[in-house]
Amino acid sequence: GNAALTNAYLNFESIYSTEEARKVAKDLLQTQRTSLPLCCAYAQLELILGNSAVCRKVCEATLSTYSDLPASQQSGAFMLFLLFSQVELQVGDHISILHLMSCMVEGKFQPVPKKNKTKELKALVVPTRLVKAHKLFEDKSKEMSEVHRKHPVSKFTPSPALYFMTCFAIFEYASFGITEAIQKFEQGLSMFEPNTLDHEQLYIAYVELVRFHCKKNPSAPALLRNLLTQAMEAYPYNSLFLTLFVVGEGRSQIVGRIRTHIDEACSHHPAPVLWLFAIKTETKKLGSANRMKNLFERALEHPLTQNSVIIWKEYISWLSGNGDAREAKRVFYRAIRHIPWSK
């Protein structure tokens, strides 16, 4: 089948039910066992559902045979190496990550027997091999950067370079630490055009790794906060960045920073998603009735958001929930005048 169409279908299914998408992927694999994109999608869905053991098994089975594929198709395995390394990262198995990433740049996966795994890995992950792997990563990243510059990929399709640069950053993290990983993420961001899927997805991977590091090292919250500020400037509508920012600032009890950021974002990038985020945040975290009303009114005054059915509905619902039936009725009739088609 068409790989792009299959992935689009699985993405569509996962919006409504990750479990259902997993079942679809599993069924499709019965007839497309050698499809790297499908194996990647299935492994990713298992990881999302918390089935890290299944994800690891799928990655191992698929990577054991990927080197038999034509060279032009082998870069499709970068995502599997990435998923596999993320599973190992969650359990703090850095030596397994170093082995996996070395295998990736060497071009052949070498499974490690479960029996005496630690001993086997120590024999495989030696300093000379890591130095060679680092050199291979550097050379390949330069080559990919050049190819990307001459032949930009689609803005809406992830490229192998996205997964390769994320793997490079994770390799550096397992080898040296967060500082070196950050350098590779910044290098990767400079490779991709802003406002492309690759650029935004690399930012997400960057944020996720720094977030993971900060969980393990609670003394460094500013590292994540500064990165999120940078990421939100580039992608103001990204719900992950917004959520992590609000959660982080909520923990620090600094309400002003949340309000300042959200107010500025709504002023500079007016869109229903940002106004709704501001409204929901105020409801859950801050709870000022006057500010809530002000947010709704500002959202419904703006030409880009005044026809948003969901914002009108949220406003009416909030007023009703606060016992202000008269005002809710007045806003209801205002909504009918603005969006008569929604009746």
Side-chain angles (χ1 to χ4, degrees), residues 216-237:
K216 301 286 182 186
N217 302 271
S219 60
L223 190 64
L224 181 58
R225 183 172 64 243
N226 294 340
L227 175 59
L228 284 170
T229 302
Q230 176 187 323
M232 287 186 298
E233 284 175 9
Y235 298 99
Y237 309 130

Side-chain angles (χ1 to χ4, degrees), residues 47 61 107 148 179 327:
L47 189 58
H148 222 77
T179 303
E327 184 65 10

Side-chain angles (χ1 to χ4, degrees), residues 126-169:
V126 293
T128 50
R129 187 184 182 206
L130 293 179
V131 169
K132 287 177 184 174
H134 186 272
K135 178 71 165 56
L136 287 167
F137 262 116
E138 288 286 5
D139 292 345
K140 185 72 175 174
S141 64
K142 285 175 186 171
E143 180 189 316
M144 282 190 159
S145 182
E146 190 64 22
V147 170
H148 222 77
R149 189 178 62 79
K150 290 180 179 176
H151 309 286
V153 295
S154 165
K155 281 190 173 187
F156 312 107
T157 307
S159 70
L162 163 65
Y163 304 120
F164 183 87
M165 290 308 298
T166 307
C167 284
F168 195 178

Side-chain angles (χ1 to χ4, degrees), residues 40-84:
C40 288
Y42 176 57
Q44 188 173 34
L45 288 164
E46 290 289 6
L47 189 58
I48 290 167
L49 287 165
N51 303 325
S52 55
V54 179
C55 177
R56 182 189 277 114
K57 188 177 176 183
V58 173
C59 290
E60 279 187 332
T62 311
L63 290 173
S64 295
T65 58
Y66 94 98
S67 56
D68 297 333
L69 293 171
S72 60
Q73 295 179 28
Q74 289 183 19
S75 62
F78 293 161
M79 184 180 175
L80 277 171
F81 277 109
L82 175 58
L83 290 169
F84 204 161

Side-chain angles (χ1 to χ4, degrees), residues 86-209:
Q86 286 171 337
V87 170
E88 303 299 4
L89 186 63
Q90 293 304 316
V91 295
D93 192 349
H94 284 203
I95 194 167
S96 285
I97 292 170
L98 294 173
H99 172 62
L100 283 168
M101 298 296 93
S102 298
C103 286
M104 189 183 89
V105 287
E106 289 162 358
K108 189 167 179 64
F109 176 65
Q110 188 175 352
V112 179
K114 286 188 175 68
K115 190 178 179 182
N116 299 323
K117 182 181 175 184
T118 304
K119 186 179 176 183
E120 293 276 353
L121 281 168
K122 282 181 179 177
L124 288 167
V125 182
V126 293
T128 50
R129 187 184 182 206
L130 293 179
V131 169
K132 287 177 184 174
H134 186 272
K135 178 71 165 56
L136 287 167
F137 262 116
E138 288 286 5
D139 292 345
K140 185 72 175 174
S141 64
K142 285 175 186 171
E143 180 189 316
M144 282 190 159
S145 182
E146 190 64 22
V147 170
H148 222 77
R149 189 178 62 79
K150 290 180 179 176
H151 309 286
V153 295
S154 165
K155 281 190 173 187
F156 312 107
T157 307
S159 70
L162 163 65
Y163 304 120
F164 183 87
M165 290 308 298
T166 307
C167 284
F168 195 178
I170 290 175
F171 175 75
E172 293 291 277
Y173 183 67
S175 298
F176 306 110
I178 194 64
T179 303
E180 288 75 8
I182 285 171
Q183 288 171 359
K184 294 308 160 194
F185 276 122
E186 293 292 340
Q187 181 185 327
L189 288 172
S190 67
M191 182 190 298
F192 304 126
E193 285 289 320
N195 299 312
T196 58
L197 184 63
D198 278 344
H199 194 264
E200 185 171 8
Q201 288 296 315
L202 191 64
Y203 248 128
I204 290 171
Y206 188 176
V207 165
E208 289 285 18
L209 186 65

Side-chain angles (χ1 to χ4, degrees), residues 247-267:
V247 169
E249 296 302 289
R251 284 201 193 106
S252 68
Q253 302 298 308
I254 303 174
V255 169
R257 276 208 296 243
I258 298 175
R259 283 181 167 163
T260 299
H261 174 78
I262 288 175
D263 283 347
E264 286 179 359
C266 288
S267 297

